[in-house]
Amino acid sequence: MTSLTSPTCPPKPSPGDRIAVISPSSGLPALFPLPYELGLDRLRKEYGLEPVEYPATRVMGSTPRERADDIHAAFSDPGIKAVVASIGGDDQITVLPYLDRELIRANPKPFFGMSDNTNLLAFLRTCGIVAFHGGSVMCELGRPGAMHPQTAESLRAALFTSGPYELRPAERWRDVDRDWADPATFDAEPETRPGTGWTWVNPDRVIEGRSWGGCLEILGWLLMADREIARDLSEYDGDVLLLETSEGMPSATEVFCTLRNMGERGLLGRFSALLMGRPKTWSFEQPNPPEEGARYAADQREAVLRAMRTYAPGTTIVFDVDFGHTDPQLVIPYGGIVRVDGPARRITVTY
């Protein structure tokens, strides 16, 4: 499963092109049509793209084979110029055994997704195809009121342009959600808080490498199943590790143990830099007030630092980069080039 030496950056779509919208994890558009339809509408009106649904996109309980068939159909259709996930879920790992690696490698296309789509992002990297972490239909495109301007700008650049793009700390952000089943949710934009900037550790060098990682919980599952991890770990030498946690809000102990186990496997020390996404500290199941959310985030940061001090003490780390389950969500090329300039405190990606 080792990646190609020179990764393929697929051709970008242009306004007017058709793009696939698929649900590789869960058919949640069937349960929550409001953010889904809003996201499709924005793809058409704000980005000039024509979304094309596939059979399992709005089906709850579709089989892994059916979801794999949609992936194959989307990648093999020459009239489809990009592939976008509707949302994540928790079952995409069961789709991986059905994927035709040679079919997808022969038909590279930009893929956008995050969360459980870490599975497909990692798969595409092993195929030598650069994909994009971020940009799902329901969460980012379907945001109530309007897309966050930093999300919208980043997604537009990733979709249509090539070359360097500098990430910026969020000017305002949020992690509190509203009920997607309530039409009133979509009458106004969600409340946001002032940005807090990034926190740098070991910012004494300039690093440039290909990215790998994603949602920490999903990476843990991939490691347990021994899927989409390079057999030769030197594949990751000098690269940039992307990690973020989901609305499942894993405990600091779980975060530490997952990173510890990655360290024991010999992974952590391979990477020259770690970008740690701003953690989500609120969920419907655990609606933390701001002070408890701040404690959760601080505990997670200390867990990450504890693991990194043990297994990769010299790694440059940047905390609270906005690419995970919080809002805004900056799109980051997965398997593409990320430049981390510690002395200048700048992060630049190559779209």
Side-chain angles (χ1 to χ4, degrees), residues 30-162:
L31 296 184
F32 300 105
L34 295 177
Y36 178 66
E37 293 289 352
L38 178 57
L40 296 182
D41 190 57
R42 286 191 178 131
L43 280 172
R44 296 186 185 100
K45 294 180 178 177
E46 298 184 22
Y47 291 89
L49 297 168
E50 184 55 42
V52 178
E53 282 190 25
Y54 283 73
T57 304
R58 299 200 203 205
V59 177
M60 288 297 295
S62 61
T63 67
R65 169 68 77 180
E66 289 168 335
R67 283 174 273 146
D69 287 345
D70 283 359
I71 294 170
H72 292 151
F75 274 87
S76 62
D77 185 344
I80 295 294
K81 303 304 181 182
V83 184
V84 182
S86 65
I87 197 169
D90 62 9
D91 193 53
Q92 198 173 116
I93 197 169
T94 66
V95 176
L96 295 177
Y98 294 97
L99 294 183
D100 185 332
R101 195 174 300 274
E102 294 309 313
L103 179 152
I104 292 172
R105 184 180 284 136
N107 297 277
K109 289 176 184 175
F111 171 76
F112 293 80
M114 47 85 71
S115 192
D116 199 34
N117 292 291
T118 295
N119 288 279
L120 191 47
L121 291 168
F123 173 88
L124 290 170
R125 172 162 166 158
T126 67
C127 292
I129 298 172
V130 175
F132 296 92
H133 185 283
S136 63
V137 173
M138 294 175 70
C139 297
E140 288 74 53
L141 284 151
R143 182 180 188 264
M147 292 181 68
H148 192 292
Q150 286 179 264
T151 303
E153 179 189 289
S154 173
L155 179 58
R156 185 175 302 279
L159 273 167
F160 299 128
T161 70
S162 300

Side-chain angles (χ1 to χ4, degrees), residues 9 13 21 25 48 64 81 90 94 96 154 190 203 243 257 306:
C9 295
V21 175
S25 299
K81 303 304 181 182
D90 62 9
T94 66
L96 295 177
S154 173
L243 294 177
C257 289
R306 180 184 166 201

Side-chain angles (χ1 to χ4, degrees), residues 160-229:
F160 299 128
T161 70
S162 300
Y165 180 89
E166 184 170 349
L167 306 183
R168 306 187 312 275
E171 297 169 4
R172 298 192 65 86
W173 71 282
R174 70 169 179 98
D175 65 350
V176 176
D177 300 315
R178 300 201 302 243
D179 185 2
W180 276 349
D182 183 358
T185 291
F186 299 89
D187 291 342
E189 290 191 49
E191 294 184 8
T192 58
R193 291 181 265 173
T196 57
W198 299 333
T199 299
W200 291 75
V201 178
N202 298 328
D204 57 349
R205 73 207 74 178
V206 178
I207 294 144
E208 188 169 278
R210 296 172 60 201
S211 64
W212 180 85
C215 182
L216 184 66
E217 299 99 301
I218 307 306
L219 285 177
W221 297 354
L222 285 171
L223 287 162
M224 282 188 281
D226 198 25
R227 290 184 184 161
E228 307 317 319
I229 311 297

